[in-house]
Amino acid sequence: MFRTSLQHVTKAFKDVGKCRQMSVVAQVLKYKEYGEPVKVVQLEEETIPDPKSKEVLVKILAAPVNPADINTIQGKYAIKPPLPAVPGNECIAEVISIGSDVKNVSVGDKITPFARGSGTWRSHCLYNEDDLIVLPKNIGIVEGATINVNPCTAYRMLKDFVQLKPGDTIIQNGANSACGQIAFQLCKEWGVKCIGIVRDRPELYKLVEYLKGLGAAEVLTEQELRTTTIFKSGLIAKPKLALNCVGGKNALEIVRHMEKKSTMVTYGGMSREPLTVPTAALIFNDIRFKGFWMTRWTQENPGSPKRKEMFEDLVNLMVEGKLKAPQHEMIDFRNFKEALENALRIQGFVGKKYILDFSR
């Protein structure tokens, strides 16, 4: 385990609400070259000094493994951090010590960092106070650990491209992905009908039942999408917005059902097939095609009121039990290779999220 336990630190060193402690030896997952994660990621130890000025020392409790983390380690992502690097962009952590100039964070607070590339696959970390969001103490561990990527991505795509109102319809492929599961719940909360497209699979009815429980108005397989009449018959209004993380023929088929002057937002390409835009959809239906990358939005809106409002909305929904974390599995961080192997499989990218557990 860790050479300095949280219990020992907080009990032995307290000074007017500010915890002073000896250096902590952190357990850190690190890679020194790009490549297959199972081969290049290694567990190391790293000494972390006392926090100074506006620094905050935290004990990380849980950190998810996201597709972008895998792609970054492989060297295939849009951002390549300098090596050696610590993977991870999300976590929930507990504050165990603060610097002398910290004003808005206290020992014992639950926090999440909102800076991208913050290297969260580690037991302890130093952050600047200004890069942290204080979370309610009663927020779920998994909800808090996963708030920065998928919930923010779904929230922004639903808010920023089309002015949706109650009764409107959207459609999304990769609907059982972590982002898709969040989108269903947000649509339910906002009174928007969300149609999900998934691949056929054994015991499909179980997945359909699960997604409808989250708020899906309808769930269709890729094959059923080709023949469905629910939009043509008027049973469900044609979608004003489409969320595309698959691309290829799947996205092309969705375009066929969209309302005139609607928008397709592409935020992933799981099929690894290009998005083909039909000429008729552009000319006669005036369908707009946009791309979205949460990292870019974050960089362009560092202190935006929109960002504060987004986190407040998401946190409140989580605390109220209206926004639940996607299906997931907690894995002890010492077994990180198991989490990486699972995430490298296709089902690791759609459906279950693997979360490194640093709390033990």
Side-chain angles (χ1 to χ4, degrees):
M1 288 288 285
F2 310 125
R3 296 180 188 175
T4 306
S5 70
L6 174 60
Q7 294 82 2
H8 172 73
V9 168
T10 54
K11 181 178 180 182
F13 300 94
K14 281 190 176 180
D15 179 20
V16 195
K18 297 195 178 210
C19 180
R20 300 175 181 271
Q21 65 177 70
M22 296 184 295
S23 299
V24 168
V25 177
Q27 309 294 309
V28 183
L29 296 176
K30 189 178 292 187
Y31 61 104
K32 300 177 182 178
E33 61 180 320
Y34 297 112
E36 289 310 302
V38 174
K39 295 181 179 179
V40 300
V41 176
Q42 302 294 329
L43 178 61
E44 300 182 3
E45 290 187 345
E46 184 178 284
T47 300
I48 301 179
D50 296 344
K52 299 179 178 62
S53 187
K54 296 191 71 176
E55 291 179 331
V56 175
L57 177 61
V58 304
K59 165 74 172 74
I60 290 178
L61 305 176
V65 179
N66 288 312
D69 300 324
I70 297 295
N71 294 150
T72 300
I73 297 167
Q74 292 170 329
K76 298 178 180 179
Y77 200 58
I79 294 177
K80 288 188 177 182
L83 301 178
V86 179
N89 282 295
E90 295 183 286
C91 74
I92 186 172
E94 182 175 351
V95 176
I96 61 173
S97 183
I98 59 178
S100 58
D101 298 323
V102 173
K103 303 299 182 185
N104 300 311
V105 178
S106 303
V107 172
D109 280 349
K110 294 288 195 309
I111 61 89
T112 186
F114 58 70
R116 285 288 180 260
S118 51
T120 58
W121 293 7
R122 53 195 302 150
S123 64
H124 298 76
C125 193
L126 276 177
Y127 290 112
N128 187 289
E129 174 189 19
D130 296 335
D131 293 332
L132 301 178
I133 298 171
V134 178
L135 300 170
K137 285 184 167 42
N138 60 341
I139 196 169
I141 290 292
V142 178
E143 282 78 9
T146 59
I147 193 173
N148 266 294
V149 176
N150 295 129
C152 291
T153 298
Y155 186 101
R156 292 265 58 97
M157 290 193 298
L158 291 171
K159 286 282 190 180
D160 292 351
F161 296 93
V162 175
Q163 290 187 341
L164 297 169
K165 61 182 184 299
D168 285 344
T169 303
I170 80 155
I171 188 169
Q172 63 168 339
N173 55 24
N176 60 323
S177 67
C179 187
Q181 293 174 52
I182 297 295
F184 281 129
Q185 295 176 77
L186 292 177
C187 284
K188 179 181 179 181
E189 179 65 18
W190 297 336
V192 174
K193 295 179 181 179
C194 187
I195 311 301
I197 310 303
V198 299
R199 291 172 300 167
D200 198 5
R201 65 197 66 215
E203 298 187 312
L204 175 67
Y205 73 94
K206 290 185 178 180
L207 176 60
V208 172
E209 182 179 324
Y210 172 71
L211 296 180
K212 285 190 173 182
L214 293 179
E218 186 60 79
V219 179
L220 304 172
T221 65
E222 294 174 343
Q223 293 80 6
E224 289 171 337
L225 180 63
R226 298 189 185 103
T227 59
T228 186
T229 60
I230 60 173
F231 303 116
K232 189 175 181 179
S233 67
L235 181 63
I236 295 180
K238 290 186 176 182
K240 291 185 176 181
L241 175 69
L243 308 182
N244 168 42
C245 67
V246 177
K249 295 178 181 178
N250 183 300
L252 180 62
E253 191 62 39
I254 285 177
V255 172
R256 203 166 61 82
H257 298 283
M258 294 174 66
E259 180 63 90
K260 291 181 179 180
K261 296 189 176 183
S262 58
T263 300
M264 171 174 278
V265 180
T266 295
Y267 68 104
M270 287 165 37
S271 70
R272 299 187 179 181
E273 297 176 357
L275 174 61
T276 303
V277 178
T279 303
L282 287 171
I283 296 175
F284 303 117
N285 291 340
D286 195 16
I287 295 178
R288 295 84 188 268
F289 295 85
K290 297 282 191 175
F292 182 77
W293 186 29
M294 192 65 217
T295 297
R296 181 177 58 241
W297 190 94
T298 300
Q299 292 170 344
E300 294 174 352
N301 297 271
S304 167
K306 284 185 177 181
R307 189 173 191 181
K308 180 181 178 181
E309 179 185 22
M310 172 178 68
F311 276 107
E312 287 178 350
D313 285 352
L314 292 172
V315 167
N316 288 338
L317 289 172
M318 288 175 175
V319 171
E320 292 169 4
K322 297 178 180 178
L323 186 60
K324 300 177 182 178
Q327 287 191 329
H328 59 274
E329 180 179 341
M330 301 289 287
I331 296 180
D332 190 303
F333 78 92
R334 300 168 188 81
N335 300 327
F336 66 93
K337 290 191 176 182
E338 176 187 345
L340 295 177
E341 287 172 350
N342 289 336
L344 282 166
R345 301 175 189 147
I346 292 177
Q347 59 263 39
F349 284 172
V350 285
K352 184 185 291 186
K353 184 176 287 293
Y354 296 93
I355 299 176
L356 298 170
D357 184 355
F358 289 92
S359 66
R360 305 178 192 184

